[in-house]
Amino acid sequence: MRIHHHKAHVFPDGFLWGTATSAHQVEGDNIYNDWYYAETHNKLKVKSGHACKHYEMYEKDFDLIKAMNNNAHRLSIEWSRLEPEEGRWNEEEIEHYRKVFQALHKRDIKIMLTLHHFTVPLWFAMKGGFEKTRNVKYFIRFVKKVAEEYGDMIDFWITINEPGVYIYQGWEVAEWPPFKKNKFTAGRVYLNLALAHRLAYKAIYKIVARKFDRLPEVGIAQNMLSFATYRKHGLIDQLAVWFSSKTANHGFYMLTGKNTHDFIGINYYFRIRLKRKKGTLKIEHDDVSSQEREVSDMGWEIYPHGLFDVLMDIRDYEKPVYITENGIATRNDDKRQRFLISHLNEIYYALKGGCDVKGYFHWSLLDNFEWHQGCKQKFGLVEVNFKTYQRKVKKSGIIYGDIAGKNKIEHKYFKLLGHHVKL
Ligand code: BGC
């Protein structure tokens, strides 16, 4: 890739620069949810344990965010802490999160709060979780409680993180709780999540407007994939791209309706190459590592331009857009630096192309518990020593802080991409 621009890429005033985390991945000692149960009942090979001890160390972590000149942060609230048993609210935990949000306010950091980030209380899972439409009411009761308690403190609400990934991992490949392979149930969970989102949207509006006289901003974090095919001339191949993008990227929006989203939240990680065996209708995901392309430690193709593609694709929604997650698992920080700069560049180009991107949340602040892969995958801008819990900002974190503070990518950073660099 050759970059010949000599001017900085300046972002719009008020652009939000942040990082994203989720409770179970960083807090540690979350013992009342379905993941903990799976971790301690031989259903998973890994344990979250103390994770990053963020539950105790959040002030310190927020200082790091501040030092990185961030003006926003995305985090999730753990339902199973607030309601460890059905119908019993834990007042201490309610106070804990109030302190967490205050700690962010004190540092002038806007809050994007996720209500469902993959984990659910064990009691809820035991009742069938989101498999049962009648259980949606429990989630809504929790959402109402959160809105009542903190409605004046939250700037952006994410009702559900990646509904598609949740059903894929839990009910299709069955790597995550509840470890069931059943496409039909997966579909039902998806529909129930759509219902949960619609009801949560209304509930948050009602409470925040009535009690706090303020208009909330509510959306979801949607995993968006950039789909491609080798055969530009093949109608079936092109149809497969269309169908995949329509269902995986736009399906949840179609089910919930655009008027239940005040903004579009996008998690972008990689591109998928669809491959059709000649003479058959069978479409599969191609493994591009066989082409010796550079992939992340997760095996995901590094493809910055895909972020531009998905941003331009949702431009027609005519809503503000936030990149709610984007990042790379790698032990090679040079690679992370290139990933960061090249993806931020694509956001800049999408802005120029008319997409109303308002903010970027890098996944993740800390090296953390990467679900069934445990702590071996390193997504953090900040390194965590899992023995001492010491934090160390990586060079990528320093660069991110510099870009956030100046609200621009200076020319010197383009050089990191180099000439003819394989990204
Ligand atoms: C999820 C995160 C996860 C990240 C990297 C996203 O799908 O929201 O929880 O850690 O991707 O796999």
Side-chain angles (χ1 to χ4, degrees):
M1 176 192 282
R2 269 175 197 279
I3 303 254
H4 292 296
H5 304 290
H6 291 288
K7 63 179 180 53
H9 284 169
V10 182
F11 283 71
D13 286 345
F15 194 83
L16 295 187
W17 298 98
T19 59
T21 63
S22 90
H24 193 70
Q25 294 180 270
V26 293
E27 284 182 349
D29 305 294
N30 268 317
I31 58 173
Y32 297 110
N33 66 27
D34 55 342
W35 270 79
Y36 181 80
Y37 183 84
E39 290 165 24
T40 49
H41 288 77
N42 285 330
K43 304 218 173 230
L44 282 162
K45 288 199 188 80
V46 292
K47 284 192 170 54
S48 55
H50 300 314
C52 307
K53 280 207 178 177
H54 177 70
Y55 186 84
E56 285 96 24
M57 296 177 67
Y58 66 90
E59 291 261 10
K60 214 179 177 140
D61 291 337
F62 295 164
D63 284 343
L64 295 175
I65 289 174
K66 194 68 198 166
M68 282 196 269
N69 302 308
N70 284 193
N71 52 8
H73 182 53
R74 178 178 169 221
L75 74 170
S76 78
I77 189 162
E78 179 64 32
W79 178 10
S80 66
R81 282 191 185 270
L82 257 52
E83 194 181 1
E85 291 157 35
E86 186 185 337
R88 181 175 73 78
W89 299 113
N90 182 328
E91 293 302 327
E92 272 173 35
E93 295 288 14
I94 291 174
E95 259 331 282
H96 168 80
Y97 282 110
R98 194 180 310 285
K99 286 198 201 119
V100 170
F101 301 146
Q102 280 165 350
L104 287 166
H105 279 176
K106 230 172 41 203
R107 291 165 178 80
D108 246 335
I109 291 169
K110 286 201 189 322
I111 302 176
M112 181 177 274
L113 184 70
T114 311
L115 295 162
H116 178 258
H117 199 125
F118 300 151
T119 60
V120 292
L122 184 60
W123 63 262
F124 178 78
M126 292 297 189
K127 278 179 180 293
F130 284 107
E131 289 178 11
K132 305 251 164 33
T133 309
R134 63 169 181 271
N135 288 347
V136 170
K137 62 176 181 287
Y138 300 111
F139 177 67
I140 300 304
R141 184 174 63 184
F142 154 70
V143 172
K144 285 183 178 165
K145 180 74 177 167
V146 176
E148 291 277 353
E149 292 289 341
Y150 317 110
D152 55 337
M153 306 180 88
I154 307 304
D155 300 282
F156 305 95
W157 301 79
I158 301 278
T159 56
I160 293 161
N161 180 67
E162 299 187 345
V165 172
Y166 182 61
I167 61 159
Y168 177 77
Q169 295 288 354
W171 288 266
E172 289 183 41
V173 290
E175 287 174 332
W176 292 2
F179 309 98
K180 290 185 190 164
K181 269 198 185 163
N182 188 327
K183 286 212 164 122
F184 179 74
T185 315
R188 219 174 34 221
V189 173
Y190 201 60
L191 291 177
N192 287 335
L193 290 175
L195 174 67
H197 169 77
R198 289 200 302 271
L199 295 175
Y201 182 91
K202 274 197 205 130
I204 296 168
Y205 254 81
K206 217 164 149 188
I207 293 167
V208 176
R210 175 179 48 73
K211 193 164 172 184
F212 303 105
D213 198 20
R214 134 176 206 178
L215 281 185
E217 293 199 48
V218 187
I220 59 163
Q222 168 70 35
N223 185 40
M224 291 241 175
L225 297 153
S226 172
F227 291 100
T229 170
Y230 296 110
R231 292 197 187 97
K232 298 289 178 205
H233 59 282
L235 187 59
I236 293 172
D237 306 67
Q238 295 296 337
L239 272 176
V241 169
W242 173 84
F243 181 77
S244 305
S245 158
K246 196 82 184 156
T247 50
N249 290 350
H250 297 278
F252 204 75
Y253 288 117
M254 291 191 293
L255 283 176
T256 48
K258 283 184 199 152
N259 55 359
T260 67
H261 298 269
D262 299 321
F263 60 87
I264 305 297
I266 293 184
N267 295 358
Y268 174 76
Y269 286 94
F270 59 97
R271 162 165 81 171
I272 285 189
R273 282 276 192 188
L274 300 175
K275 191 171 86 174
R276 182 166 65 92
K277 222 171 151 206
K278 226 174 160 191
T280 74
L281 286 180
K282 204 168 179 279
I283 304 273
E284 352 179 281
H285 294 177
D286 200 15
D287 175 8
V288 295
S289 60
S290 62
Q291 296 161 1
E292 293 186 24
R293 278 183 195 284
E294 202 177 21
V295 295
S296 75
D297 290 354
M298 304 281 280
W300 296 344
E301 182 184 355
I302 299 171
Y303 187 62
H305 189 74
L307 178 53
F308 176 82
D309 282 347
V310 298
L311 286 173
M312 296 308 275
D313 187 36
I314 47 96
R315 192 180 49 164
D316 293 351
Y317 282 52
E318 293 182 338
K319 303 252 179 194
V321 176
Y322 294 90
I323 317 291
T324 38
E325 281 180 37
N326 170 242
I328 177 171
T330 178
R331 284 167 189 264
N332 175 345
D333 197 59
D334 290 342
K335 202 162 161 179
R336 190 185 326 280
Q337 292 160 32
R338 294 201 301 273
F339 183 98
L340 178 70
I341 310 279
S342 55
H343 283 75
L344 292 179
N345 272 339
E346 294 298 334
I347 298 172
Y348 177 81
Y349 298 134
L351 276 161
K352 295 287 151 196
C355 184
D356 188 18
V357 190
K358 298 263 192 215
Y360 173 83
F361 294 81
H362 190 82
W363 185 274
S364 183
L365 174 64
L366 306 167
D367 286 340
N368 60 36
F369 176 70
E370 176 54 30
W371 305 113
H372 66 294
Q373 304 220 23
C375 291
K376 70 169 198 278
Q377 298 292 357
K378 308 293 181 194
F379 272 99
L381 292 172
V382 175
E383 181 188 319
V384 174
N385 177 323
F386 288 102
K387 287 198 180 87
T388 60
Y389 298 98
Q390 256 189 352
R391 275 73 165 138
K392 188 167 166 249
V393 181
K394 300 176 191 174
K395 174 114 187 275
S396 50
I398 293 169
I399 292 175
Y400 186 50
D402 189 40
I403 292 173
K406 294 181 176 142
N407 204 33
K408 63 181 172 201
I409 314 171
E410 288 179 307
H411 179 248
K412 63 178 180 201
Y413 291 128
F414 301 155
K415 287 189 202 138
L416 283 183
L417 302 178
H419 293 262
H420 310 294
V421 164
K422 240 189 12 175
L423 279 171

